[in-house]
Amino acid sequence: MSIKYENLDTLKAFKELRAVETSVDLKEELTRERILRYSAPAGGGLTYNYAAKAVNDEIVGILQKLSDEQQLVAKYKEVLNGEFINTGENRKVLHHLTRGQLGSDVTFEDKNLRDFYVEQQNRIREFSSKVHKGEIKGSTGKQLDTVVQIGIGGSDLGPRAMYLALENIYDVEMEGHFISNVDPDDANAVLGRLNFETTLFVLVSKSGTTQETLANRNFVLEKTRQAHIHGFNPSKHMVAVTSETSPLAGSDEYLDSFYMDDFIGGRYSSTSAVGGVVLSLAFGSEVFDQFLAGANDADRAALELDLRKNAALMDAMIGVYERNILGYGQTAVLPYSQALSRFPAHLQQMDMESNGKSVNRRGEPLNYQTGPVIFGEPGTNGQHSFYQLLHQGTDIVPLQFIGFKDSQIPFDLDYEGSTSQQKLKANLVAQIVAFAKGKEDKNSNKNFAGQRPSSLIYGLQLTARSLGALLAHFENKVLFQGFVWNVNSFDQEGVQLGKVLAKQVLAGGDAMDEALKAFSDLLEI
Amino acid sequence: MSIKYENLDTLKAFKELRAVETSVDLKEELTRERILRYSAPAGGGLTYNYAAKAVNDEIVGILQKLSDEQQLVAKYKEVLNGEFINTGENRKVLHHLTRGQLGSDVTFEDKNLRDFYVEQQNRIREFSSKVHKGEIKGSTGKQLDTVVQIGIGGSDLGPRAMYLALENIYDVEMEGHFISNVDPDDANAVLGRLNFETTLFVLVSKSGTTQETLANRNFVLEKTRQAHIHGFNPSKHMVAVTSETSPLAGSDEYLDSFYMDDFIGGRYSSTSAVGGVVLSLAFGSEVFDQFLAGANDADRAALELDLRKNAALMDAMIGVYERNILGYGQTAVLPYSQALSRFPAHLQQMDMESNGKSVNRRGEPLNYQTGPVIFGEPGTNGQHSFYQLLHQGTDIVPLQFIGFKDSQIPFDLDYEGSTSQQKLKANLVAQIVAFAKGKEDKNSNKNFAGQRPSSLIYGLQLTARSLGALLAHFENKVLFQGFVWNVNSFDQEGVQLGKVLAKQVLAGGDAMDEALKAFSDLLEI
């Protein structure tokens, strides 16, 4: 099959979708039969339920045609097989390969890249095991019990969200911390809490030139120096995660270096060494292996052509329907699990940085909307916060609920006839139904219009495996949507201009743009 | 002057605003002169700059007419003077009174409410001082060094955001933690880190009936019981913050009780006892006093009729212009200060719960958009995340930047010719200009359209005083916008239906709605 990259609005199925006249009345149609039927496996033990989305069999049928016509699964296979999908930067897109071989062998410059990723995993496994066993100790002879990731963007958000998601269900071998912002208050605050003698820093920058990260490395080195610890050698307390060609690679300044490459985008790097080092050190490499296995399982589930059996594809296509037909501009991600407190922030990057684009893969301007704004907070907290607007505001915001049957920590208590976990789940279910069905009230201030669509991803428990699947589900959803919109989901040219201008400000001088200079004066830079 | 509550679309000035044909080309017009002139004092040492907003003198002039016609400052004075502004619930709105007397005396049932709030502040001052001095100790005789707030929504988001904003600039008398979610993993995780003998819990619920909060209290009591600490008495380790009529008030189960009343909305309660107890215990009451003074200063600044001299009013009116004329559906809040990491989450509640309404104060449906979606993360982190969409996505998202000249912690380092704080500020300035002016590039993938509006609130340093002013600025902005849209910003009927349905799920039985039952079965409730 030859692969064609076409704009959404040129597709026959999209015209058909635009012409659909039926609509779904969730008040009437949200039956048990529908709830059982509108369900797709997401891999890793997760299930995606879309019964409370405003789609029906007719719409789903056309979404299937659209998926087929836009060759979404075939394009996904191109990714898996190592095609240069990231056209702007002429790069392969290989985060799937970090967690398993699903397509043909991928080689680059005579190197089998699956072997390369596995080699790094093995090196991480061995390294973290030595640290845990005390075979590698701090420079003053103490057991290393704390790991601090220094990185920003994809080197921070994903690994941090994953760490928080797992810290309460597994034995913590090493307590994790994160330094990301160039704001000196960030590094100062974290460093103030550490015992340097027992701390291992993980410096993460693919290029080895990320300004914020290098400034924070500098901070760490100076702070450890100023601590005047007898016999302390900072090079024995820092490892680098970078590309093999970066200035950080293999430097004597680091205890060791672990590698990813240009084919792993920052926002897709949690399953590479970027997530692997910190998570293996924190929880042990067995936990990280389960995380990879879960992601791989979801990647496999995304190969299915029938979107009724492919959760990521269905999620993607319903999102396109909501964005381009119903005109909704944002999506709220609402995990009913406190452990997922930073998962929405990670998805915010993954989705918005991937598909927040206005030109297609050939650089031509698009005539339709692409990626939505993503935001979210854990339930039940969000219920006491922004749900008011979601229920009764003037805009409809599509919702993605996430829930689990069991809590991570087994201890629970009955209070007024139910446990906390039961209350948590009851609230989740109640919200889905409240948003969908609403409630009429003669007092219009107490009236709920309903018809506010939501989906639910659920599983037995949030473990490393289901977390991996959850992550990969959203990665693949975003990938499919990028192909539907015909954008390059894997570059981020939009971040460049700010970097260039910030350098101009720091360089100073008369050549600076008038507005830059005037604002710089206000802030006394 | 008689006060009239009219819908926005009935106002003469709004029709005039709709008819405006000029637009602002930020590429051309963002001059030094404009940057210096488009500036308004926000109180507490803060300044609001709107030079990079897409308004000009003509539009600002009409916004002034709109403000006057809708009697915004007069309505604000009604709030200050204790009118029953929250009509749906027949309540006064008195969070301003917790930080100073700006209007006439406010009495209710023969009680002067300013005296009441001051009395609570004095009681908190005395109590926290005794705890700090060791005059009040834990039940086993140990100094209390940790404070844990148990609350949700407004009893959590605001106080938590304020705690994080201040913990690195002041001496921490007691380390703060927060338990909010009914998810048992939340309470378990926090409680697992505590030494109960040195911990004081602050139970916060205005009604005394918040289900999540009472379930978490139960958790705390059982966990402390199971710890089998000899001589431990939980009633000596918990205080209540509640209304005087609540079941928690004055109970023997608590060491002490501090009070707010029905006239303090949860999302506006950080300056009441809800924020006062935990922040005074954490940092000392002098710090909390400065926080109140800053808020009061911003409240005072918001009394100015001329919106060019009233930052909250200008911010509100530009927001209305962006929402109802330009059609933007969301606002991103971008603090260039890691200490404000949870401030956007607090604003998300404050704004979306206040103005996410579809009916006016009389309960009549509205024909125009009201409150936008609010989201945000600290810069520079956000730059490496969702800024891609903000720069090059298909939707325009108005931006609110926040920045400070100095960091909170004085230690900083030069790296490659600039300190971290300089880099932070340079990035902030660069982003404002990049969003406004864009950059043309023949490669359309590297092209920045610009014309993306932002404002900047800035001050010398994030302290208790400037934080109070920042908080009050946004509270007053939201209040003004609520009056423009003619909604009741102080109720939250949209949260009720979910509560009712959750109770039905927990009660179980055959009477349950079919959809509730089917989803409950999926999650095995």
Side-chain angles (χ1 to χ4, degrees):
Chain A
M1 176 169 57
S2 81
I3 302 287
K4 287 182 191 165
Y5 289 92
E6 304 290 354
N7 284 357
L8 173 61
D9 56 358
T10 67
L11 302 178
K12 199 162 148 268
F14 185 64
K15 285 165 193 153
E16 196 178 337
L17 194 63
R18 274 187 165 156
V20 168
E21 287 181 0
T22 64
S23 63
V24 181
D25 182 350
L26 289 171
K27 285 192 190 75
E28 296 297 322
E29 297 182 38
L30 194 58
T31 61
R32 170 175 289 271
E33 185 274 332
R34 179 181 161 104
I35 291 167
L36 295 178
R37 194 158 63 85
Y38 274 28
S39 178
L46 299 178
T47 303
Y48 174 73
N49 194 290
Y50 54 100
K53 284 290 190 185
V55 295
N56 56 24
D57 290 348
E58 179 192 0
I59 293 166
V60 168
I62 302 173
L63 293 176
Q64 179 72 59
K65 286 188 207 171
L66 187 56
S67 168
D68 296 341
E69 187 179 355
Q70 192 62 307
Q71 303 173 298
L72 298 183
V73 173
K75 287 172 182 167
Y76 172 43
K77 287 182 180 167
E78 296 270 289
V79 173
L80 298 178
N81 290 332
E83 294 300 316
F84 287 80
I85 291 295
N86 179 355
T87 44
E89 300 176 309
N90 196 34
R91 289 177 178 173
K92 299 170 187 286
V93 172
L94 298 183
H95 51 277
H96 303 89
L97 197 61
T98 60
R99 52 231 195 189
Q101 183 81 54
L102 285 173
S104 49
D105 280 356
V106 179
T107 58
F108 185 69
E109 296 176 347
D110 292 334
K111 189 162 75 172
N112 180 308
L113 293 177
R114 174 65 188 156
D115 291 347
F116 168 66
Y117 298 137
V118 170
E119 182 198 346
Q120 297 308 312
Q121 285 160 10
N122 289 335
R123 293 183 57 234
I124 294 167
R125 185 175 294 112
E126 196 179 339
F127 178 81
S128 60
S129 166
K130 283 184 180 168
V131 172
H132 296 156
K133 286 181 189 158
E135 293 169 22
I136 295 174
K137 283 194 159 65
S139 57
T140 59
K142 296 197 174 160
Q143 175 84 24
L144 294 163
D145 60 13
T146 303
V147 55
V148 181
Q149 178 108 333
I150 308 170
I152 194 165
S155 303
D156 170 60
L157 285 164
R160 191 194 293 248
M162 302 308 133
Y163 177 83
L164 294 173
L166 300 176
E167 68 169 337
N168 291 318
I169 188 168
Y170 297 106
D171 290 336
V172 175
E173 301 266 3
M174 297 172 76
E175 191 179 293
H177 296 275
F178 295 83
I179 298 174
S180 53
N181 203 331
V182 78
D183 182 348
D185 289 336
D186 189 15
N188 272 315
V190 174
L191 295 173
R193 293 188 202 110
L194 301 176
N195 176 353
F196 294 136
E197 291 184 79
T198 62
T199 297
L200 183 66
F201 293 93
V202 183
L203 183 72
V204 188
S205 169
K206 184 160 65 181
S207 65
T209 62
T210 313
Q211 194 194 44
E212 288 92 336
T213 301
L214 295 181
N216 280 323
R217 173 190 64 175
N218 194 41
F219 238 85
V220 168
L221 295 177
E222 181 60 20
K223 277 283 189 184
T224 57
R225 198 186 63 75
Q226 290 188 5
H228 298 297
I229 301 163
H230 183 72
F232 186 86
N233 177 354
S235 72
K236 301 295 179 198
H237 290 263
M238 195 176 284
V239 298
V241 178
T242 189
S243 63
E244 289 179 297
T245 55
S246 112
L248 305 180
S251 158
D252 287 348
E253 293 174 47
Y254 308 107
L255 182 58
D256 209 337
S257 301
F258 303 96
Y259 302 112
M260 81 282 237
D261 59 27
D262 279 345
F263 305 147
I264 307 296
R267 57 192 174 272
Y268 297 100
S269 66
S270 290
T271 53
S272 77
V274 171
V277 173
V278 63
L279 296 174
S280 297
L281 285 166
F283 307 116
S285 53
E286 305 74 18
V287 170
F288 188 67
D289 288 344
Q290 293 165 38
F291 175 66
L292 295 183
N296 181 245
D297 206 41
D299 291 343
R300 200 177 297 273
L303 283 165
E304 171 63 47
L305 276 165
D306 180 351
L307 84 174
R308 291 175 182 276
K309 297 177 185 165
N310 181 337
L313 186 57
M314 180 65 89
D315 196 353
M317 296 311 295
I318 292 174
V320 168
Y321 176 68
E322 291 175 333
R323 182 77 169 126
N324 301 102
I325 303 295
L326 302 179
Y328 305 148
Q330 47 230 341
T331 298
V333 179
L334 308 168
Y336 276 63
S337 164
Q338 188 63 24
L340 292 175
S341 61
R342 291 300 287 167
F343 193 72
H346 173 58
L347 289 192
Q348 193 172 56
Q349 174 185 33
M350 188 206 294
D351 199 325
M352 292 173 70
E353 199 171 36
S354 296
N355 291 338
K357 312 279 165 75
S358 297
V359 298
N360 71 11
R361 294 170 59 83
R362 294 184 294 272
E364 298 154 354
L366 293 170
N367 296 315
Y368 46 83
Q369 307 307 108
T370 59
V373 164
I374 305 291
F375 70 99
E377 293 284 336
T380 54
N381 291 11
Q383 291 175 205
H384 292 260
S385 170
F386 55 87
Y387 278 36
Q388 164 66 40
L389 182 146
L390 303 182
H391 279 290
Q392 293 189 318
T394 49
D395 287 355
I396 290 183
V397 179
L399 313 172
Q400 291 215 300
F401 288 102
I402 302 169
F404 300 93
K405 294 174 190 172
D406 295 341
S407 59
Q408 288 193 314
I409 303 174
F411 180 85
D412 204 349
L413 283 175
D414 194 281
Y415 179 73
E416 293 188 341
S418 57
T419 64
S420 285
Q421 180 67 14
Q422 285 173 322
K423 289 183 181 75
L424 179 70
K425 294 191 290 183
N427 274 283
L428 166 51
V429 164
Q431 291 295 336
I432 294 173
V433 175
F435 281 114
K437 301 181 102 169
K439 183 179 77 70
E440 283 187 37
D441 197 298
K442 272 178 283 182
N443 177 346
S444 62
N445 198 29
K446 297 176 192 286
N447 192 63
F448 291 78
Q451 198 65 15
R452 303 199 171 208
S454 69
S455 63
L456 170 65
I457 300 180
Y458 65 98
L460 178 60
Q461 191 183 40
L462 181 63
T463 61
R465 181 163 180 268
S466 59
L467 179 67
L470 192 67
L471 176 78
H473 168 85
F474 282 103
E475 289 181 352
N476 293 325
K477 170 194 168 174
V478 167
L479 173 146
F480 285 132
Q481 290 190 330
F483 285 135
V484 173
W485 288 318
N486 200 29
V487 299
N488 179 0
S489 301
F490 304 102
D491 66 358
Q492 54 281 323
E493 290 294 340
V495 308
Q496 296 303 328
L497 178 57
K499 287 188 196 175
V500 171
L501 296 184
K503 277 191 188 164
Q504 285 180 20
V505 173
L506 292 172
D510 293 340
M512 205 195 309
D513 173 275
E514 175 183 356
L516 278 182
K517 183 77 178 77
F519 278 117
S520 297
D521 290 346
L522 293 186
L523 285 172
E524 296 176 8
I525 298 176
Chain B
M1 178 168 57
S2 82
I3 303 286
K4 288 182 190 166
Y5 290 93
E6 304 291 352
N7 284 358
L8 173 62
D9 56 359
T10 66
L11 302 179
K12 200 163 147 268
F14 185 64
K15 285 165 194 151
E16 196 178 338
L17 195 62
R18 275 186 166 156
V20 169
E21 288 182 359
T22 64
S23 63
V24 181
D25 181 350
L26 290 171
K27 285 191 191 75
E28 297 297 323
E29 296 182 37
L30 195 57
T31 61
R32 171 175 288 269
E33 185 275 331
R34 179 180 161 104
I35 291 167
L36 295 178
R37 196 159 62 87
Y38 275 26
S39 177
L46 299 178
T47 303
Y48 174 74
N49 192 290
Y50 54 100
K53 284 291 191 186
V55 295
N56 55 25
D57 289 348
E58 180 191 0
I59 293 166
V60 168
I62 303 172
L63 293 176
Q64 179 72 61
K65 287 188 206 173
L66 188 55
S67 168
D68 295 341
E69 188 178 355
Q70 192 62 308
Q71 303 172 299
L72 298 183
V73 173
K75 286 171 183 168
Y76 172 43
K77 287 181 181 168
E78 296 270 290
V79 172
L80 299 178
N81 290 332
E83 294 301 314
F84 287 79
I85 292 294
N86 179 354
T87 44
E89 300 176 311
N90 196 33
R91 288 177 179 172
K92 300 170 187 285
V93 172
L94 297 183
H95 51 278
H96 302 89
L97 197 61
T98 60
R99 52 231 194 189
Q101 183 80 54
L102 285 174
S104 49
D105 281 357
V106 180
T107 57
F108 184 70
E109 295 176 349
D110 292 333
K111 189 162 74 174
N112 179 308
L113 293 177
R114 173 66 189 157
D115 291 348
F116 168 65
Y117 300 138
V118 169
E119 181 197 347
Q120 297 308 312
Q121 286 160 11
N122 289 335
R123 293 183 57 233
I124 293 167
R125 185 175 295 115
E126 195 179 340
F127 178 80
S128 60
S129 166
K130 282 185 181 168
V131 171
H132 296 156
K133 288 181 188 158
E135 292 168 23
I136 294 175
K137 283 194 160 66
S139 57
T140 59
K142 296 197 173 159
Q143 175 83 26
L144 295 164
D145 61 13
T146 303
V147 54
V148 181
Q149 178 108 332
I150 309 169
I152 195 165
S155 302
D156 171 59
L157 285 164
R160 190 193 295 247
M162 302 309 131
Y163 176 82
L164 294 173
L166 300 176
E167 68 169 336
N168 291 319
I169 188 168
Y170 297 106
D171 291 336
V172 175
E173 301 267 3
M174 298 173 77
E175 189 178 295
H177 296 275
F178 295 82
I179 298 174
S180 54
N181 203 331
V182 76
D183 182 348
D185 290 335
D186 189 14
N188 272 315
V190 175
L191 294 173
R193 293 188 203 111
L194 301 176
N195 176 354
F196 295 136
E197 291 184 81
T198 61
T199 298
L200 183 67
F201 295 92
V202 183
L203 182 73
V204 187
S205 169
K206 183 160 66 182
S207 65
T209 61
T210 313
Q211 193 193 44
E212 288 92 337
T213 301
L214 295 181
N216 279 324
R217 174 189 63 175
N218 194 40
F219 238 85
V220 167
L221 294 177
E222 180 61 21
K223 277 283 186 181
T224 56
R225 199 187 62 76
Q226 290 189 5
H228 298 298
I229 302 163
H230 183 72
F232 187 86
N233 177 353
S235 74
K236 302 294 180 200
H237 289 262
M238 196 176 284
V239 297
V241 177
T242 188
S243 63
E244 289 179 300
T245 55
S246 111
L248 306 179
S251 158
D252 288 348
E253 294 173 47
Y254 308 107
L255 182 58
D256 210 336
S257 301
F258 304 94
Y259 303 112
M260 82 283 236
D261 58 28
D262 280 344
F263 305 146
I264 307 295
R267 57 191 173 274
Y268 297 100
S269 65
S270 289
T271 53
S272 77
V274 171
V277 174
V278 64
L279 296 174
S280 298
L281 285 165
F283 308 116
S285 54
E286 304 74 18
V287 171
F288 188 67
D289 288 344
Q290 292 166 36
F291 175 67
L292 296 183
N296 181 245
D297 205 40
D299 290 345
R300 200 176 298 273
L303 283 165
E304 170 63 48
L305 277 164
D306 180 351
L307 82 175
R308 290 175 184 276
K309 299 176 184 164
N310 182 336
L313 187 56
M314 180 64 88
D315 195 353
M317 297 311 296
I318 292 174
V320 168
Y321 176 68
E322 291 175 334
R323 183 77 169 126
N324 299 102
I325 304 294
L326 303 179
Y328 305 148
Q330 46 230 339
T331 298
V333 179
L334 307 168
Y336 276 63
S337 166
Q338 188 63 24
L340 292 175
S341 61
R342 293 299 287 167
F343 193 72
H346 172 58
L347 288 192
Q348 192 173 56
Q349 174 186 33
M350 189 207 294
D351 200 326
M352 293 173 70
E353 199 171 36
S354 294
N355 291 338
K357 312 279 166 73
S358 299
V359 300
N360 69 12
R361 294 170 59 83
R362 293 185 293 273
E364 298 154 354
L366 293 171
N367 295 316
Y368 47 84
Q369 307 307 109
T370 59
V373 164
I374 305 291
F375 71 99
E377 291 285 336
T380 54
N381 291 12
Q383 291 175 205
H384 292 259
S385 170
F386 54 86
Y387 277 36
Q388 163 66 40
L389 183 146
L390 303 182
H391 279 291
Q392 293 189 318
T394 48
D395 286 355
I396 289 183
V397 179
L399 312 172
Q400 292 213 299
F401 288 102
I402 302 169
F404 300 93
K405 294 174 191 173
D406 295 340
S407 60
Q408 288 193 315
I409 302 174
F411 181 84
D412 203 350
L413 283 176
D414 193 280
Y415 179 73
E416 294 188 340
S418 57
T419 64
S420 286
Q421 180 67 15
Q422 286 172 322
K423 289 183 182 73
L424 179 70
K425 293 191 290 183
N427 274 282
L428 166 50
V429 164
Q431 291 296 334
I432 294 173
V433 175
F435 281 115
K437 300 181 100 170
K439 182 178 78 68
E440 283 188 38
D441 197 299
K442 272 178 282 182
N443 177 345
S444 62
N445 198 30
K446 297 177 192 287
N447 192 62
F448 290 77
Q451 199 64 14
R452 303 199 172 210
S454 68
S455 63
L456 169 65
I457 301 179
Y458 66 98
L460 177 61
Q461 190 183 41
L462 182 63
T463 60
R465 179 160 181 268
S466 58
L467 179 68
L470 192 67
L471 176 79
H473 168 85
F474 283 103
E475 289 180 353
N476 293 326
K477 171 193 169 176
V478 167
L479 172 146
F480 285 132
Q481 290 190 330
F483 285 135
V484 174
W485 289 318
N486 201 28
V487 300
N488 179 359
S489 301
F490 305 102
D491 66 357
Q492 54 281 322
E493 290 295 339
V495 309
Q496 295 303 328
L497 178 57
K499 288 187 194 174
V500 172
L501 295 184
K503 276 190 188 164
Q504 285 181 20
V505 172
L506 292 172
D510 293 339
M512 207 195 309
D513 171 274
E514 175 182 357
L516 278 182
K517 183 80 179 75
F519 279 116
S520 297
D521 290 347
L522 293 186
L523 285 172
E524 296 177 7
I525 299 176

